[in-house]
Amino acid sequence: MEQDVSQSVVQVPEEKPASGRSYKKWVLFIGVPVVLILLVLGLLANNHRKQERQRSYSTNQTQQQRPGSFFSPQKNNLTGAEMEGMQLSNGNCVGTEKRKLTTLPMKMEDFSMIIPYGLMVGDHVSPIDHQYFSPTIFHSPRDTYEVRAMADSLLVDIQPRIKPGYTEYRMVFSISCKLFYYYDLVTSLSPNIKKEFEQYKSGMRRVPLSIPVKAGQVIGRIGGQTLDFAVWDMDVKLKGYVVPEHYQMESWKIHTVDPLDYYTDGLKKQALSKYIRTVPPVSGKIDYDIDGRLIGNWFAVGTSGYEGIRPNNNPEGYSHSHFAIAPDHIDPTAYIISFGDYGGEFWQFILDKNAPDPAIVDVKTGLVKYDLLSFSYKKENGEKWDGMSFAQNLKLERHRSNGCALLQMQSGRTVKIETFPNITCQSISGFTQKAKLYER
């Protein structure tokens, strides 16, 4: 995601690239298996498209929205890490202990695989900061599978997204003021959790949300989509973001850590048996910036970094101002080039094997031309991966070009970018007035 790609079974308008990743079309359209991959990851992206935008905005507006908020920054004798933990927990975390996680979010028989950190798809232009637990039956009815607490912890934040006919939930759990884990896209809350949350929302409980849960306790259910999951350690700040301040809108992002480091030995063994990535770090990676080099995340000049443009505080489309170029989340031997604005849409492509290495490209390199290739994943037996079944040692296959991108580093932290959909690089000599400047 060895038939001729020109004989695609899916017709695509000429003015748009024939394939690549987008929230509408993900990977190459060359047959039913690849369409299935498109469907799975496209659904995944669609599930997040507006949800995560609302999440990132509402998370940073919690003090104005919540009843009974008791968070106060005037806490004595707290370290910087503890203060950040206090902010994420609305002032309701306790202690600094980092107890191991002992239970997976879903039963082993209820999920088929764990998709690593770092996927770039659709409007997730930069590498995604969470893993995905993919249900055994992907198109299962809502609420088919149990979702469980991973450790004795406090449930300190629940954010509902009310949609026509259903509601989904984002849930944050505090082990201490230094260690957290979270879920998203939970399709329903367990009865006891729902009761306490409803009391909290109504203002009946004039205390911060704080629901003790036990390891393995059912806290909700999920079905018909993947479960988001990540671990945050407030003592850790990722080194692969050149300007961490660009991520203040999602302050937890720079603290995202490898879950395996926080599992008991038994839990680690279970999780690894469902990992589809086999190249270290097997949990995936999200921070690829190298100061002065092309690799990593970029933001259109004047758009406030990751926050993007949000007219009237509306997060819709904020990542149109994002650009990223980073290793693939499953097969890191290949680079994915990810656009928030490729002809006005979100798209991802793969670079040619012989293309200039983004980890080396700098100001001295000058103008760089990248052919934008569609791609698919191939299993060890040569079959194309369907995106829904467990597989390991997946490799990316490159297909035809869908356009060209020109890039040139203007300084160590600025780059000029212009895209040319459905035009070959050989026919392009240089930038036009449509080129945009990105920074970090």
Side-chain angles (χ1 to χ4, degrees):
M1 356 152 245
E2 291 262 24
Q3 134 185 18
D4 184 353
V5 296
S6 65
Q7 303 302 315
S8 170
V9 299
V10 179
Q11 298 300 314
V12 183
E14 292 183 359
E15 71 274 14
K16 297 180 181 179
S19 54
R21 285 185 187 146
S22 81
Y23 72 97
K24 295 179 180 177
K25 304 177 181 68
W26 189 80
V27 300
L28 182 68
F29 304 149
I30 58 173
V32 173
V34 178
V35 172
L36 288 173
I37 298 177
L38 179 155
L39 180 62
V40 174
L41 274 295
L43 285 172
L44 183 154
N46 282 332
N47 281 336
H48 286 289
R49 187 165 181 250
K50 293 183 179 179
Q51 297 164 352
E52 294 223 350
R53 295 166 185 156
Q54 294 295 337
R55 179 199 73 183
S56 61
Y57 175 70
S58 63
T59 297
N60 287 274
Q61 299 295 319
T62 52
Q63 306 312 314
Q64 289 75 25
Q65 296 174 346
R66 294 176 180 157
S69 174
F70 279 71
F71 173 69
S72 170
Q74 305 302 319
K75 299 284 186 179
N76 296 325
N77 303 318
L78 293 181
T79 65
E82 290 172 84
M83 276 298 302
E84 291 188 85
M86 280 285 180
Q87 292 169 348
L88 284 176
S89 66
N90 195 31
N92 204 40
C93 58
V94 178
T96 60
E97 185 180 3
K98 299 180 183 178
R99 298 186 305 277
K100 293 287 188 179
L101 304 177
T102 62
T103 306
L104 290 175
M106 299 174 69
K107 295 179 181 178
M108 289 289 287
E109 61 269 26
D110 288 350
F111 69 98
S112 61
M113 60 182 170
I114 299 174
I115 300 171
Y117 292 147
L119 170 68
M120 291 170 280
V121 61
D123 62 356
H124 288 291
V125 177
S126 59
I128 297 175
D129 61 1
H130 46 262
Q131 296 185 334
Y132 297 97
F133 280 70
S134 186
T136 299
I137 301 176
F138 188 87
H139 299 295
S140 53
R142 295 178 67 82
D143 300 343
T144 297
Y145 302 109
E146 294 178 347
V147 179
R148 304 180 296 169
M150 300 186 73
D152 293 354
S153 46
L154 292 176
L155 175 54
V156 295
D157 189 21
I158 300 176
Q159 292 180 24
R161 298 188 202 87
I162 301 174
K163 305 291 182 180
Y166 67 93
T167 302
E168 293 175 338
Y169 302 89
R170 180 180 189 267
M171 310 174 76
V172 177
F173 301 83
S174 169
I175 293 176
S176 71
C177 291
K178 290 192 172 185
L179 187 62
F180 297 79
Y181 63 97
Y182 98 104
Y183 304 145
D184 204 352
L185 300 186
V186 176
T187 53
S188 68
L189 302 176
S190 64
N192 61 317
I193 299 292
K194 183 176 182 180
K195 180 179 178 180
E196 293 203 45
F197 181 55
E198 292 295 335
Q199 290 177 346
Y200 171 71
K201 283 198 307 179
S202 69
M204 293 174 60
R205 293 179 52 183
R206 301 302 298 174
V207 295
L209 181 67
S210 176
I211 304 174
V213 295
K214 292 289 186 180
Q217 177 181 332
V218 176
I219 53 83
R221 303 187 75 88
I222 195 166
Q225 58 194 28
T226 53
L227 176 70
D228 291 10
F229 158 73
V231 177
W232 309 325
D233 186 335
M234 298 299 105
D235 280 327
V236 175
K237 290 187 178 180
L238 297 178
K239 298 179 180 179
Y241 291 131
V242 168
V243 185
E245 293 77 16
H246 280 166
Y247 301 90
Q248 290 178 350
M249 178 56 67
E250 295 189 355
S251 60
W252 60 83
K253 189 182 296 289
I254 65 172
H255 301 291
T256 303
V257 291
D258 187 337
L260 295 177
D261 294 337
Y262 299 83
Y263 290 168
T264 60
D265 290 342
L267 194 66
K268 184 184 297 186
K269 183 177 180 180
Q270 286 184 316
L272 285 171
S273 71
K274 295 292 185 87
Y275 268 39
I276 61 172
R277 174 167 168 154
T278 56
V279 180
V282 292
S283 292
K285 180 177 170 64
I286 64 174
D287 58 317
Y288 287 99
D289 293 0
I290 299 177
D291 205 4
R293 303 299 173 89
L294 179 60
I295 188 173
N297 298 343
W298 298 88
F299 309 101
V301 169
T303 59
S304 301
Y306 192 87
E307 181 176 355
I309 300 297
R310 302 173 186 240
N312 300 317
N313 290 326
N314 180 4
E316 179 71 20
Y318 77 100
S319 59
H320 274 303
S321 58
H322 295 186
F323 168 79
I325 186 165
D328 181 67
H329 69 301
I330 298 176
D331 179 7
T333 64
Y335 277 103
I336 301 299
I337 185 167
S338 180
F339 298 96
D341 182 8
Y342 185 79
E345 296 189 5
F346 304 103
W347 282 92
Q348 287 77 32
F349 301 96
I350 190 174
L351 299 186
D352 187 77
K353 288 182 179 180
N354 298 320
D357 186 343
I360 298 175
V361 171
D362 59 12
V363 173
K364 296 179 181 178
T365 306
L367 182 67
V368 173
K369 296 182 180 182
Y370 284 135
D371 281 314
L372 305 176
L373 308 179
S374 54
F375 58 93
S376 60
Y377 290 95
K378 183 173 67 174
K379 297 192 293 185
E380 285 186 292
N381 62 6
E383 295 178 356
K384 289 183 173 60
W385 182 48
D386 64 9
M388 292 183 287
S389 58
F390 175 79
Q392 290 184 324
N393 300 313
L394 294 163
K395 292 295 181 181
L396 279 166
E397 284 193 312
R398 294 166 173 84
H399 302 294
R400 70 181 180 90
S401 176
N402 297 277
C404 180
L406 298 188
L407 302 94
Q408 186 170 3
M409 298 282 290
Q410 305 294 294
S411 71
R413 295 190 180 180
T414 56
V415 60
K416 195 176 194 179
I417 301 175
E418 187 171 2
T419 59
F420 300 85
N422 300 312
I423 299 177
T424 64
C425 286
Q426 290 83 353
S427 62
I428 300 170
S429 58
F431 291 108
T432 73
Q433 293 182 345
K434 295 182 179 180
K436 295 181 179 181
L437 198 63
Y438 289 73
E439 65 182 354
R440 66 177 177 211

